[in-house]
Amino acid sequence: MTDKLKKSLLQYKAPGIFEETRYEKLHNVIVKSSTEGSKLIANSIALLIKEKQDQNQMCVLGLATGSSPLSVYRELVRLHKEENLSFENVISFNLDEYYPLVKEDVQSYHYFMHSNLFDHVNIKPENINIPSGEVSPEKLRKSCISYENKIKSAGGIDLQILGIGTNGHIGFNEPGSHLNSETRTITLDHLTRFDAAPAFQGIENVPRKAVTMGIQTILNSKRVLLMAWGSYKAEIIQKAIEGEISCFIPTTYLQHHKNTTLVIDNEAASELTRIKTPWLVTSCEWNEANRSKAILWLCETTKKSILKLTDEDYNQHGMSDLLAQHGSAYDLNIEMFNKLQRSISGWPGGKPNADDKYRPERAQPASKKVIIFSPHPDDDVISMGGTFDRLVSQGHEVHIVYQTSGNIAVSDQNALKYLEVTSDFISSKENESIGKLIKAFEVINPQKPAPRSICDLKGSIRKRESLGATRYMGIPDSQVHFMNLPFYETGMIAKNPVSKLDIDLTVALIEKIKPHQIYAAGDLADPHGTHRVCLDIVFESLKILKPKKFMDDCWVWLYRGAWHEWDIHEIEMAVPMSPDQVLRKRKAIFYHQSQKDGVMFQGNDHREFWIRAEERNTATAKKYQALGLAEYAAIEAFRRYFY
Ligand code: F6R
């Protein structure tokens, strides 16, 4: 056992023994990122495997699938390949499997486990156990009982790894599952099938049932580690940790287990009382960030604007020590009001010749070079179309950088339409190659990567739509860059890990443009999603470029994508939009026709992108107004990133 491994061991501590974990009923460890958390978990697994090896014993692991444990498995494979971690003494039991589904199906958990872990380590095939999605309905009950018995005869699970569903399921123990449940079949919840729909290319292809270990099977494990990454999981994590035990949120059953630790990243922890409103838990450090957060929360709770808050409001809401340290409500209110007022600027590139002491951006240089990184070809206009428009009209040299081709989000029908239109206008000789492409659509196998020719066609459709929008916004094509980052080009939903080439291409582009401002999508909602990966690539490139002279004069602003918005206390630049600018932004979004009307990857929000964007921008404006600031039609919001 190496010292490095020893140090990172996740140790269980009973919740309720620390003042700051008031309200919490499950032990949790909050980490900076899913990468850090995954390493901690992988190290705990490795440590246990080695301890058991030292004692000449088998190590029984309970394993999960889904997006959350992917980087845990990646780290385990690394430990095996680079640090000689042997899996020879490992017996594994997977939590669940879709039913019915054959092993060979790329969506099966059987396939997932082999491609992400088992094929890359030296576990003995006879020690791998995964519930079968292939047994006949008559034999199903018997096979569930024998799975349960097999776990028992292996001596029970030493360490069970879990993810958590957005409905609070663990394994496939959906809401309503009983505390005493064991391995059995279950009908999947609509939300579970909805979450799985993109992977299966549509909810209609997601199996309706699954075989899953039961709650009792999980609770029988000697140690449980549950992981959750991203703000998408924040709400359910709060309910699991702070809520009462209830069959409606099966994760709460873990409160019965005395050796469970949740490993969660900052975003997944963001709804916990001690993170969201720390002043309600214990005395908090009243730095500027906490002051803003608390005062804006107080406005929301009391439904008052900033300048109407009284000493009594502060005292009655756990903020009396803030008053004691920082004077009266009057002083605090004025400080907050001014801060928010100063975040508003119609000059996102800085106002030339103006005193910029209290403005979000510098006045100099008056004309700036700007890069707007857009993860997909459309995030630029969806998320910051109004600001993009202002930057161009205020004379800045705006470069749009589309990081990925976005090709998998174009439907086959849409792509075929373009081919057919083309074939109506070309000679019969040229039509041969179009004909070949049309044929390629007939033999598409949704389980396999789409052929390169089809990916390129779909990429080209998104490229042409984007150029329509950027021309409408008034920038020359030479300032529009299509990076087609390689990590994205798999022809499938699952992407490749980020490679050096992704970073090198990004570094080279930034270096070529030498921008004064960079805008990037700061979406942290889905830690494995394309936006997060694209952001990590930008961050990594900034780290590399930091020593360069031109970077001293380069400010980075983060916007949020189609899904979330910054909380008001996080906003450092609020760019207001007039009703006319709202319309211009809408038109620019309309150029992205392939992403309109029931797009392929809609997520759990059924509104079209332009509606989401408008509703979000108007909501921000309404919030500013409710806090006592001026009334605008819409506001786009940004937060500065210091690299
Ligand atoms: C997977 C499993 C599920 C997932 C959960 C979260 O074996 O049993 O409970 O852990 O649905 O999935 P992700 O990690 O994809 O968000």
Side-chain angles (χ1 to χ4, degrees), residues 220-278:
N220 286 343
S221 312
K222 294 170 193 117
R223 174 84 168 120
V224 175
L225 289 177
L226 181 148
M227 72 198 98
W229 324 126
S231 51
Y232 190 47
K233 296 281 169 79
E235 214 176 297
I236 195 66
I237 281 294
Q238 185 273 337
K239 288 184 182 150
I241 293 179
E242 298 186 1
E244 296 301 327
I245 299 175
S246 143
C247 72
F248 296 108
I249 309 224
T251 314
T252 56
Y253 283 131
L254 293 173
Q255 293 175 21
H256 286 298
H257 191 264
K258 294 294 167 253
N259 199 5
T260 287
T261 298
L262 274 62
V263 185
I264 51 184
D265 66 1
N266 284 328
E267 286 78 35
S270 60
E271 287 294 320
L272 292 180
T273 307
R274 80 171 136 132
I275 306 294
K276 196 173 180 189
T277 49

Side-chain angles (χ1 to χ4, degrees), residues 63-69 94-96 109 162-166 169-172 192 233:
L63 298 176
T65 54
S67 63
S68 309
N94 260 82
L95 277 166
D96 42 17
Y109 286 166
L162 296 175
I164 178 173
T166 46
H169 72 211
I170 42 176
F172 273 139
T192 300
K233 296 281 169 79

